C-alpha cells in the first residue's frame, strides 16, 4: 500500500487507490508545533515534543544483579574450589562500603552498590556457606562462574547525555516509567489536536431522545468521538446538522474557527440531500473524493480556508454516513493523519497475516475491508473468520470484530485457508 499518489491536490476527480489517497493526505499535512508541559501520568498516549536526554547514568552505580556474595574476580580459582571469607553485608540502598582484602567477600543483595574493587557476584544458590570457629566462609565449585558475572554496570541501561526517547514518540507505560527512572516528573508534549465533529442527516436522532418515525439514532458521532478520544484528540462536539446547505455552512464555519481538523459523517454522496462535498468546494478545496474501496465510498478530503487566512488550513475528512464505512475510512485515512498532524511519529495499524477461514469473493481494482475475528489456533498460527453480514450499515459486525481483513487493490478472490492481511483494532499500550 505504498505507491505514491500522483499529486496531493488534484485537478479533476479521478478515482484514487487507497494507497494513493493515504499518500496524498500524508503529503498535504503539516504537524502542529504548539507544546505543553504536563505531569508525567497525563502524558500517557500523548506525542513527546522534544527528545528526552538522560540527565544521569542508569544505573547510577555498578551494582549486584543477584542476592549472593561479592568478591574480586581475580580470587576465583580456575580448577579448584574457591573459598572466601564473609566479612560483612551490603544492602540495596546502602552508601559506600569499605574495601576488603584478598580471598574475602561481602554478602550482597540485588541492586546493592558493588563495593570498590569488587567485580563479581556469586549467587547464593551456587555456593555453600559454612560457619566455623574462624568465622563465616562461602565455597564454590570450579567452572560455575566467570569473573565479572552478575554485576550490572553503571550506565549500562542509559548513559548520561544520551537520548532516552525521541520527539514524536507516542508515550506508553514503559516510556513513562523510563522517564521516572531518570528522575523526571513531567513531560513536554504536543498540545492535543482539536477535532470538530458532527453528523449530518435529516433522519438522525440523538440517543436519549424518543425515536421519531422514519428516523435512526446517530451512532457515528459516538463511535468517532470514542475513536478520537483514544487517539488523544480534544473533541469539539458540534452535534447533529440537518441536510440544509445553510446549516452545514454555518457549522463548518464554526468548526473552522475553533478546530485543527473537521470530521463529518454522511451527506458526501451524490444524493439529493448530499451537500458536504459542495460546501468543501465552496469553503476550501476538494482534494479528492473518489477512492476505490469498499466499504468507504463516498469519502472526501480537502482543506477548508480559515476566514482570517492565518495559519494553515483546517482539514476536512468527510466520512460516509454508513456506520461501518465511517469507521473504516476513519482507520484507513483519518487515524494516521491525526497522529501526523498532532506531531506524533505515525504508528500504522498493527498488521499481521492470518489464514482466512472463509473463502472471500473479491474483484481486483479496489481495496476491500471486511470485519473479522482473529484468533490463535492450537498450532500457534493466526486465523481470521469474517463476522456474518458485511453490509456497510451493519455496525454490529464491527462491534463483534477485533480486526479488519484488508484485501489489497489488485487482489482477487481468496480461497479458504489462504493468508490475508489483517489490521488489529488493538495493540499493546
Ligand atoms: P449518507 O452517507 O448520508 O448517504 O448516509 C448513508 C447511510 O448511513 C444512510 O442510511 C444513513 O441513514 C446512515 N447514516 C448517516 N449518518 C449516520 C449516523 N450519524 N449514524 C448512523 N447512521 C447514519
Ligand atoms: Mg445523509
Amino acid at each position: 500500500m505504498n505507491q505514491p499518489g500522483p499529486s496531493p491536490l488534484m485537478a479533476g476527480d479521478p478515482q484514487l487507490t487507497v494507497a494513493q489517497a493515504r499518500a496524498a493526505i500524508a503529503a498535504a499535512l503539516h504537524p502542529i508545533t504548539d507544546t505543553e508541559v504536563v505531569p508525567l501520568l497525563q502524558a500517557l498516549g500523548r506525542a513527546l515534543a522534544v527528545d528526552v536526554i538522560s540527565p544521569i547514568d542508569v544505573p547510577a552505580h555498578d551494582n549486584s544483579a543477584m542476592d549472593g556474595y561479592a568478591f574480586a574476580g581475580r580470587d576465583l580459582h580456575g580448577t579448584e574450589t574457591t573459598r572466601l571469607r564473609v566479612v560483612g553485608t551490603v544492602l540495596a540502598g546502602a552508601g559506600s562500603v569499605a574495601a576488603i582484602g584478598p580471598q574475602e567477600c561481602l554478602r550482597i543483595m540485588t541492586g546493592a552498590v558493588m563495593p570498590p574493587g569488587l567485580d563479581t557476584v556469586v549467587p547464593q544458590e551456587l555456593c555453600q556457606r559454612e560457619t566455623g570457629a574462624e568465622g563465616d566462609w562461602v565455597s564454590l565449585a570450579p567452572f560455575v562462574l566467570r569473573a565479572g558475572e552478575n554485576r550490572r554496570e553503571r550506565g549500562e541501561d542509559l548513559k548520561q547525555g544520551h537520548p532516552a526517547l525521541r520527539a514524536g514518540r507516542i508515550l506508553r507505560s514503559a516510556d513513562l516509567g523510563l522517564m521516572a527512572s531518570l528522575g523526571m516528573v513531567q513531560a513536554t508534549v504536543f498540545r492535543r489536536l482539536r477535532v470538530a465533529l458532527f453528523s449530518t442527516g435529516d433522519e438522525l436522532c440523538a440517543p436519549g431522545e424518543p425515536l421519531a418515525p422514519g428516523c435512526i439514532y446517530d451512532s457515528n458521532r459516538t463511535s468517532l468521538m470514542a475513536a478520537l478520544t483514544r487517539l488523544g484528540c480534544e473533541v469539539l462536539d458540534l452535534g447533529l446538522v440537518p441536510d440544509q446547505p445553510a446549516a452545514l455552512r454555518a457549522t463548518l464555519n464554526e468548526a473552522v474557527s475553533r478546530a485543527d481538523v473537521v470530521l463529518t459523517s454522511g451527506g458526501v454522496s451524490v444524493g439529493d440531500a448530499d451537500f458536504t462535498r459542495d460546501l468543501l468546494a465552496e469553503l476550501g478545496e476538494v482534494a479528492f473524493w473518489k477512492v476505490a474501496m469498499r466499504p468507504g465510498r463516498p469519502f472526501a478530503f480537502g482543506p477548508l480556508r480559515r476566514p482570517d487566512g492565518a495559519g494553515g488550513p483546517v482539514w476536512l475528512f468527510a466520512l460516509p454516513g454508513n456506520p461501518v464505512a465511517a469507521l473504516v475510512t476513519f482507520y484507513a485515512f483519518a487515524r494516521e493523519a491525526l497522529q501526523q498532524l498532532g506531531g506524533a511519529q505515525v504508528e500504522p495499524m498493527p498488521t499481521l497475516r492470518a489464514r482466512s477461514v472463509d473463502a472471500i469473493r473479491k474483484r481486483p481494482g479496489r481495496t476491500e475491508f471486511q470485519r473479522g475475528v482473529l484468533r490463535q489456533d492450537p498450532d500457534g498460527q493466526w486465523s481470521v473468520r469474517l463476522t456474518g453480514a458485511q453490509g456497510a450499515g451493519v455496525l454490529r459486525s464491527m462491534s463483534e470484530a477485533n480486526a479488519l481483513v484488508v484485501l489489497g487493490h489488485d487482489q482477487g478472490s481468496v480461497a479458504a485457508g489462504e493468508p490475508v492481511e489483517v489490521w488489529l483494532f488493538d495493540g499493546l499500550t
Side-chain angles (χ1 to χ4, degrees):
M1 294 184 57
N2 288 331
Q3 65 235 74
S7 121
L9 303 186
M10 320 199 343
D13 57 1
Q15 172 158 285
L16 303 188
T17 67
V18 167
Q20 286 169 336
R22 283 157 60 94
I25 294 171
L29 306 179
H30 294 285
I32 57 167
T33 51
D34 303 342
T35 63
E36 60 186 350
V37 178
V38 298
L40 213 48
L41 272 174
Q42 284 175 29
L44 186 64
R46 307 278 302 268
L48 193 62
V50 293
D51 290 349
V52 169
I53 305 297
S54 181
I56 53 172
D57 282 331
V58 182
H61 313 273
D62 288 5
N63 67 79
S64 175
M66 298 293 231
D67 291 335
Y69 298 88
F71 64 103
R74 63 176 177 277
D75 289 344
L76 207 51
H77 204 291
T79 52
E80 289 166 34
T81 296
T82 301
R83 287 188 85 233
L84 304 163
R85 199 168 129 89
V86 184
V87 296
T89 300
V90 216
L91 301 175
S96 59
V97 175
I100 60 172
Q103 302 302 319
E104 290 182 342
C105 70
L106 289 165
R107 173 102 176 107
I108 195 165
M109 304 305 152
T110 306
V113 174
M114 288 297 285
L118 308 191
D119 60 0
T120 307
V121 173
V122 55
Q124 61 194 34
E125 54 277 18
L126 289 188
C127 58
Q128 273 180 340
R129 182 163 173 160
E130 311 139 28
T131 304
E134 343 82 283
D136 284 349
W137 295 80
V138 288
S139 55
L140 70 148
F143 310 118
V144 298
L145 193 75
R146 282 190 306 265
E149 275 193 295
N150 302 311
R151 175 192 49 156
R152 293 192 286 232
E153 279 181 50
R154 172 185 180 144
E156 99 178 5
D157 243 12
L158 202 54
K159 294 233 180 323
Q160 182 179 6
H162 283 227
L165 294 167
R166 293 293 192 182
R169 170 98 182 162
I170 299 176
L171 293 168
R172 301 185 192 293
S173 316
D175 303 327
L176 299 187
L178 177 61
M179 291 177 75
S181 79
L182 304 180
M184 299 179 174
V185 293
Q186 49 194 24
T188 304
V189 293
F190 287 104
R191 73 161 167 82
R192 291 184 191 280
L193 207 60
R194 284 188 282 273
V195 182
L197 173 69
F198 60 90
S199 297
T200 72
D202 288 342
E203 76 282 25
L204 299 179
C205 178
E209 289 178 8
L211 196 59
C215 291
I216 58 166
Y217 282 120
D218 168 19
S219 61
N220 287 346
R221 206 151 36 102
T222 298
S223 45
L224 292 170
M225 212 180 289
L228 288 167
T229 303
R230 287 193 70 176
L231 271 184
C233 298
E234 184 184 317
V235 186
L236 245 87
D237 181 5
L238 299 185
L240 283 176
V241 180
D243 292 316
Q244 293 163 13
L248 278 166
R249 186 180 295 111
T251 311
L252 281 171
N253 279 328
E254 186 192 349
V256 164
S257 69
R258 296 174 60 194
D260 306 297
V261 174
V262 187
L263 226 64
T264 66
S265 70
V268 214
S269 311
V270 287
D272 292 345
D274 295 325
F275 305 109
T276 308
R277 189 162 37 86
D278 292 345
L279 280 160
L280 174 58
E282 177 190 316
L283 304 174
E285 187 189 346
V286 181
F288 62 81
W289 70 284
K290 281 184 181 165
V291 185
M293 66 190 292
R294 199 177 81 142
R297 280 175 60 111
F299 161 79
F301 168 76
L304 291 161
R305 285 184 296 274
R306 289 183 203 270
D308 54 7
V314 175
W315 297 99
L316 174 67
F317 293 80
L319 312 181
N322 269 314
V324 173
L327 277 172
V328 165
T329 46
F330 179 86
Y331 289 125
F333 303 120
R335 183 183 162 280
E336 287 174 28
L338 292 170
Q339 289 181 338
Q340 187 185 341
L341 274 170
Q345 223 169 54
V346 169
E347 292 187 355
M349 291 285 282
T351 301
L352 52 81
R353 288 182 77 73
R355 281 192 298 235
S356 176
V357 172
D358 307 282
I360 310 174
R361 285 170 62 94
K362 153 87 168 62
R363 63 174 171 78
R366 69 182 182 199
T367 304
E368 290 193 13
F369 298 86
Q370 312 247 1
R371 278 73 77 203
V373 179
L374 187 73
R375 56 159 222 170
Q376 204 167 15
D377 296 332
D379 66 359
Q381 302 284 315
W382 291 98
S383 68
V384 64
R385 70 173 168 77
L386 303 185
T387 61
Q390 294 283 320
V394 187
L395 189 52
R396 199 171 69 130
S397 68
M398 195 77 178
S399 160
E400 284 170 355
N402 60 7
L404 279 177
V405 176
V406 185
L407 304 173
H409 187 83
D410 298 320
Q411 193 172 344
S413 291
V414 174
E418 245 185 79
V420 287
E421 184 182 316
V422 168
W423 285 358
L424 294 178
F425 285 157
D426 281 295
L428 275 177
T429 52

